[in-house]
Amino acid sequence: MQELVPGGNLVLPGGALTVRVPGPFDVSALITDDTGTVRGDGDFVFYDQPSAPGARLAGDTLTVDPAALRPGATRVTVAVGPAGPGAPPGGPPAPALQVADAGGRPLARFVPPGARQEAVLLLAEIYRRGRDWKLRALGQGYADGLAGLARDFGVDVTDDDGAVTTRATPAAPPRPAADERFLELVNAVRAAAGSPPVTHDARLADAAREHAGTMARGGRLGVEGVDGVSVHQRVVAAGYPYLTVGEHLVSGPLTVDRFVDHCLRHEAARRTVCDPAFAHAAVGSRDGAGDTYWTALWAAPLTPDGRDRTAGEVIDLTNRERARAGLPPLSHDPRLTAAAQAHSADMAARDFHSHTAPDGGRPWDRAAAAGSALRTVGENIACGQRSAAEVVRGWMNSPGHRANILEAGFTRIGVGFAGGGRAGTYWTQLFGG
């Protein structure tokens, strides 16, 4: 059985599963699509409406069969509140979420850390990602009670002295989900700047929510979370190989409008919002340590053409620097390129930044292994830069790297690029002569 922390997740086995929260709590569930809103009042499962297609509540146990959910459903959010008046769910005893498969085998357990004063806790969500269904621990407090929670998911309710009852009248139009509002705001700014719109990507959204959760858990902002995983590693782990990536990590704003406004008031962040290189974006937030933590991710997907184009830009910029020094251009070498690409990918995958690989391999070893017979080999590496121009500029500002670029004895070059790892990007220039 896996012990989960806020933002932690696991892939679920096929079939139905049970979600139990023992103790003096009322369990409820909201069935939604990717917009985060319900289609109607029937998507709200609670004590007065204990069943919906694919979900059934019996006492403290919710049974969910993802395959039997209504068409279009991609997410089941599980919430818990106190059973009647009294202490909030964050007080003793703490709610403990227990998840088991159809045969009763324990799969996961989650106890949200810290005492809370909110009336309702969002404990977990069961969601579809590709062909898989996954469970994510949340632990997010909700101050407006069960009725307020239901309304924000698009359920039409009456709230009378704390009692919640669904009405038969059609639900009012739900307010836009945070990611929809985020795209609406940033695409208006991008349009004014002449940049193409970005579209939502569910993989980036997963990574953003997970990273916001780890920052909330640790009570601090950081590219690396308290679990030791960087935001860039989360993007790759979510299944999004990228050519370029950007992030905004912010704490404080209570709404997505305020978060975007905060980003636009800082020049560097505004440049990221308007960067025409990005094709996809997503936002995630989590409450924790008395604050709200936000992660926005921007990315362009990695394609063979895109990687070749980026490598070509590095070679062009390198040859411009050689031309200024009165040196002949370097020609592209496929074998050096293969060795450089393999080293960049290795640095990203094995989380290191060195000319010497963990197995002891050096630049000339990699060149020879790729079939190169060149007698003289040199290498430049870098990590963290977001563009070809930035990485070449950094190399030219470093005496040792500059010396390789302007070495008269070099005649050939290969360039490698990979995204991921703690630094986000890994670059390799391999020279030969």
Side-chain angles (χ1 to χ4, degrees), residues 333-354:
D333 186 296
R335 294 184 177 87
L336 294 181
T337 296
Q341 182 59 43
H343 190 54
S344 287
D346 192 28
M347 288 191 291
R350 291 202 276 180
D351 196 20
F352 73 97
H353 181 244
S354 173

Side-chain angles (χ1 to χ4, degrees), residues 42 209 433:
R209 284 191 293 264

Side-chain angles (χ1 to χ4, degrees), residues 146-179:
L146 189 58
L149 170 68
R151 289 192 185 97
D152 284 354
F153 275 74
V155 178
D156 192 22
V157 301
T158 59
D159 187 359
D160 183 14
D161 295 329
V164 180
T165 306
T166 59
R167 300 202 314 234
T169 55
R175 71 183 187 184
D179 52 1

Side-chain angles (χ1 to χ4, degrees), residues 217-302:
R217 175 187 165 207
R220 61 176 175 83
L221 297 174
V223 172
E224 185 175 305
V226 293
D227 56 358
V229 180
S230 77
V231 66
H232 313 109
Q233 290 170 312
R234 294 186 210 284
V235 173
V236 174
Y240 190 110
Y242 59 82
L243 182 65
T244 184
V245 68
E247 69 281 341
H248 290 136
L249 309 176
V250 176
S251 65
L254 297 179
T255 67
V256 70
D257 291 63
R258 293 180 182 178
F259 167 69
V260 173
D261 179 68
H262 173 88
C263 295
L264 295 177
R265 285 189 279 111
H266 296 79
E267 184 56 34
R270 189 182 186 92
R271 284 198 300 270
T272 298
V273 172
C274 298
D275 192 331
F278 296 128
H280 300 126
V283 68
S285 67
R286 288 289 184 266
D287 291 333
D291 215 339
T292 301
Y293 291 81
W294 295 83
T295 299
L297 292 171
W298 310 79
L302 178 65

Side-chain angles (χ1 to χ4, degrees), residues 5 73 94 96 124 257 332 349 372:
V5 298
D257 291 63
H332 171 259
S372 175

